Amino acid sequence: MRLDSRGLPLTTSSAEAAGHLERAIESFNYWRVDVMDHLGAALAADPDFPFAHAFKGLFLVGGRSAKYADIIAESLNAAKAGIADVCPRERSYIEALEAAAAGRLMDAAQKYEAVLGEHPTDLLGHRFVQQEYFWMGHADNMRDVVERAAPAFEDDTPDYSLYLACRAFSNEEALNYQAAERFGRKALELDPGDPWAAHAMAHVLVMQGRVDEGVTLIEGLKDNWAGKNQIVHHLWWHLCLFLLERGEHERILEHYDAWIRNPESPLVQAVPDAYIDIQNCAALLLRLELRGVEVGPRWDAIADVAEGRIDDHASPFTDPHVAMILAAAGREERAQAVVASMLADAEGDEGPLGVAIRRAAAPCAQASIAHRRGEHDAVVTTLMAARHDFPHMGGSHAQRDIFYQMLVDSCLKSGRDGELATLIQEIKQIGFAQVEGRTLYSQAAERAN
Ligand SMILES: [Fe+2]
């Protein structure tokens, strides 16, 4: 047993392997692209390092793709081979991997909570638990787990800025905007290159309708993100949400081509079908179209990638985006295949993935196809019935808003003024300020009055 530089125990006889693993975890926590390089070096130095295998599996669980299932299973087996010798913290991570690999995501979250009960400053635990609660739509759990750890942190605790970024985002999703902004600004003061702190702040500002501040924030931070992973694409997506409100559509298309979906970018080339990229692309292109903007061949380009996820339901929130893309590209049969595959996959699954698909993601996918066909009554009927279940599929308030925008658009086009009044009220209750002043919603608010 050895202790890493943060005092956390590691079970390996190789100091070299322990050093590489620590760098891999640090890269993960700091949103860098080189996690697998360090992890590969750790496993080369100690091929039997249980925690390194567990971390590899958990890292790939975070990739939210069925294509990683075999490597995840191998990592789990390798980690379990050494479980008898590991310390309780490492055992909890291995058990979390076992739960996550089986789709028991709430059980995985409980394992991370157990780790944080013993080691409240373990940033890896904070990142993983936030990730799982976020993609299950449990904003209050996200906030509670991070707040419980607060007394353990001092200003000079290692990774304090990372903790503040997690604290900022979880408070934002729990609608505690003032606290979120305080933690987010402090995190950025300590580390202006932290993309998660920038992200938390972008969410606060978009929820509050502080459009110009949002543009200034992201434009002021964007040069600090060299070496960071796909989160950078999502931050450019957030910039575009603010630009949408200013009507700067040409600029958005330029950012889309250069920063959100640039096939020449090394990040896109490394993982062309990253789930967050698919979400960003679909949700931005549709937002543009809902505001009358022609997006040209962009749907078709991303549809070629979306085809690869038709039978991949590791990320329920991504599924309706895949259907949206395929329908928009004129590949309706393929879009329908996504829905059929989702429902088949979810059948009999009473766990969080099955529930997310049946109650939220599948209706959103069906509505996305109907919306493309101009069947607005069908969109309204489907989404009005499903909307209170949207959080089950995870994602942020700002991300899920695309399905409210689709619903409002269909209400506008099918003359459902009664529903518009309800929806405007509801969008405010979700946590959006200045709803009447926003693009698209302003029309709805006028019609609703
Ligand atoms: Fe976001």
Side-chain angles (χ1 to χ4, degrees):
M1 171 96 58
R2 43 184 82 242
L3 296 181
D4 71 10
S5 63
R6 289 161 177 78
L8 296 167
L10 288 174
T11 307
T12 174
S13 56
S14 165
E16 193 192 341
H20 287 304
L21 180 68
E22 202 175 339
R23 280 187 286 284
I25 290 172
E26 195 176 277
S27 275
F28 173 75
N29 286 342
Y30 282 83
W31 303 84
R32 294 186 201 125
V33 289
D34 56 356
V35 175
M36 286 305 270
D37 298 340
H38 296 301
L39 199 40
L43 286 167
D46 178 1
D48 300 321
F49 191 171
F51 189 43
H53 285 293
F55 176 61
K56 182 177 175 182
L58 290 168
F59 175 66
L60 292 173
V61 164
R64 294 296 198 259
S65 173
K67 73 181 176 184
Y68 300 130
D70 289 347
I71 314 177
I72 290 169
E74 283 166 24
S75 300
L76 175 61
N77 284 337
K80 281 172 76 177
I83 199 166
D85 303 320
V86 300
C87 70
R89 170 178 176 260
E90 294 168 302
R91 174 182 292 269
S92 290
Y93 278 109
I94 295 169
E95 289 170 351
L97 174 59
E98 185 159 34
R104 291 186 285 106
L105 301 174
M106 191 52 102
D107 292 346
Q110 298 312 306
K111 294 296 174 188
Y112 299 133
E113 291 222 34
V115 170
L116 291 169
E118 289 296 310
H119 304 281
T121 61
D122 181 352
L123 251 295
L124 184 63
H126 281 292
R127 284 291 314 285
F128 280 148
V129 78
Q130 185 163 90
Q131 175 181 277
E132 292 310 333
Y133 282 144
F134 176 71
W135 289 117
M136 287 189 284
H138 293 308
D140 289 351
N141 291 23
M142 266 170 70
R143 178 206 53 211
D144 290 349
V145 69
V146 82
E147 287 302 318
R148 262 197 296 279
F153 280 88
E154 305 284 348
D155 285 8
D156 59 353
T157 304
D159 306 320
Y160 183 50
S161 63
L162 291 178
Y163 172 70
L164 287 170
C166 287
R167 198 175 183 188
F169 185 59
S170 60
N171 272 281
E172 181 279 324
E173 284 299 300
L175 312 185
N176 302 327
Y177 298 141
Q178 274 192 335
E181 180 162 359
R182 194 167 73 246
F183 301 136
R185 290 204 185 279
K186 176 78 176 161
L188 285 171
E189 214 177 281
L190 295 171
D191 179 5
D194 183 341
W196 201 232
H199 180 250
M201 278 304 302
H203 272 274
V204 170
L205 298 176
V206 79
M207 295 306 289
Q208 296 189 320
R210 293 157 66 186
V211 172
D212 293 340
E213 283 180 80
V215 174
T216 304
L217 173 93
I218 301 289
E219 289 189 338
L221 294 170
K222 67 181 169 50
D223 296 330
N224 300 325
W225 301 330
K228 304 296 188 185
N229 64 24
Q230 282 82 358
I231 188 69
V232 173
H233 301 156
H234 185 64
L235 286 166
W236 282 94
W237 179 85
H238 271 282
L239 172 60
C240 290
L241 295 192
F242 297 117
L243 296 176
L244 266 180
E245 295 304 317
R246 300 211 304 205
E248 296 187 34
H249 301 146
E250 274 310 308
R251 246 175 106 197
I252 293 173
L253 289 171
E254 284 166 22
H255 289 337
Y256 182 95
D257 295 337
W259 300 107
I260 295 171
R261 190 63 192 176
N262 180 352
E264 306 299 317
S265 115
L267 271 182
V268 170
Q269 291 192 346
V271 191
D273 58 348
Y275 72 91
I276 187 68
D277 290 345
I278 288 173
Q279 295 173 10
N280 294 335
C281 292
L284 186 57
L285 293 178
L286 186 65
R287 275 175 170 84
L288 285 163
E289 285 190 340
L290 291 175
R291 287 157 182 81
V293 182
E294 287 275 337
V295 301
R298 292 175 182 86
W299 281 120
D300 218 40
I302 194 68
D304 292 342
V305 176
E307 292 259 359
R309 287 198 70 115
I310 288 172
D311 293 312
D312 184 341
H313 310 299
S315 164
F317 188 63
T318 305
D319 284 334
H321 294 83
V322 170
M324 189 189 293
I325 291 167
L326 293 170
R331 307 181 196 184
E332 190 184 311
E333 254 179 54
R334 310 298 285 152
Q336 297 285 9
V338 175
V339 177
S341 174
M342 288 167 78
L343 293 172
D345 203 67
E347 201 180 332
D349 177 2
E350 294 304 324
L353 291 170
V355 169
I357 288 172
R358 273 195 304 279
R359 292 173 64 174
C364 285
Q366 284 159 333
S368 299
I369 298 168
H371 185 265
R372 183 57 55 181
R373 292 169 67 120
E375 294 172 355
H376 296 294
D377 279 326
V379 174
V380 176
T381 303
T382 304
L383 293 185
M384 285 303 283
R387 69 196 198 280
H388 296 303
D389 287 324
F390 286 175
H392 284 295
M393 65 183 161
S396 63
H397 304 298
Q399 284 178 303
R400 290 193 296 264
D401 189 48
I402 189 60
F403 298 105
Y404 271 90
Q405 294 193 23
M406 183 188 288
L407 174 54
V408 161
D409 183 64
S410 286
C411 286
L412 285 169
K413 286 177 174 152
S414 58
R416 307 279 284 259
D417 294 7
E419 278 89 349
L420 285 174
T422 304
L423 290 171
I424 291 296
Q425 192 55 36
E426 225 170 84
I427 292 161
K428 290 178 189 173
Q429 284 165 353
I430 287 170
F432 289 93
Q434 304 185 33
V435 177
E436 289 91 345
R438 293 181 189 234
T439 54
L440 192 70
Y441 291 154
S442 58
Q443 285 169 269
E446 267 174 44
R447 283 266 296 273
N449 286 325

Short mmCIF file of all heavy atoms in Angstrom, two decimals, residues 199 203 234 238 396, ligand 1:
data_model
loop_
_atom_site.label_atom_id
_atom_site.label_comp_id
_atom_site.label_asym_id
_atom_site.label_seq_id
_atom_site.Cartn_x
_atom_site.Cartn_y
_atom_site.Cartn_z
N HIS A 199 -17.99 26.40 -17.54
CA HIS A 199 -19.26 25.79 -17.92
C HIS A 199 -20.35 26.11 -16.90
O HIS A 199 -21.47 26.48 -17.26
CB HIS A 199 -19.04 24.28 -18.03
CG HIS A 199 -20.26 23.52 -18.41
ND1 HIS A 199 -20.91 22.69 -17.53
CD2 HIS A 199 -20.98 23.49 -19.56
CE1 HIS A 199 -21.97 22.17 -18.14
NE2 HIS A 199 -22.03 22.64 -19.37
N HIS A 203 -23.80 28.30 -17.54
CA HIS A 203 -25.16 27.86 -17.21
C HIS A 203 -25.89 28.88 -16.35
O HIS A 203 -27.07 29.16 -16.59
CB HIS A 203 -25.13 26.50 -16.51
CG HIS A 203 -25.16 25.35 -17.46
ND1 HIS A 203 -26.33 24.84 -17.95
CD2 HIS A 203 -24.16 24.66 -18.06
CE1 HIS A 203 -26.05 23.85 -18.81
NE2 HIS A 203 -24.74 23.72 -18.88
N HIS A 234 -18.38 21.86 -26.20
CA HIS A 234 -19.63 22.18 -25.50
C HIS A 234 -19.60 23.63 -25.00
O HIS A 234 -20.64 24.30 -24.95
CB HIS A 234 -19.83 21.19 -24.34
CG HIS A 234 -21.12 21.35 -23.63
ND1 HIS A 234 -22.35 21.15 -24.23
CD2 HIS A 234 -21.40 21.72 -22.34
CE1 HIS A 234 -23.31 21.37 -23.35
NE2 HIS A 234 -22.77 21.72 -22.20
N HIS A 238 -22.15 26.61 -25.78
CA HIS A 238 -22.76 27.56 -24.84
C HIS A 238 -22.62 28.99 -25.32
O HIS A 238 -23.55 29.80 -25.18
CB HIS A 238 -22.13 27.41 -23.45
CG HIS A 238 -22.83 26.39 -22.60
ND1 HIS A 238 -24.02 26.65 -21.97
CD2 HIS A 238 -22.52 25.11 -22.30
CE1 HIS A 238 -24.41 25.57 -21.30
NE2 HIS A 238 -23.51 24.62 -21.49
N SER A 396 -28.78 18.92 -18.77
CA SER A 396 -29.01 20.14 -17.99
C SER A 396 -30.36 20.76 -18.38
O SER A 396 -30.95 20.40 -19.40
CB SER A 396 -27.90 21.15 -18.28
OG SER A 396 -27.93 21.51 -19.66
FE FE B 1 -23.76 22.67 -20.54
#
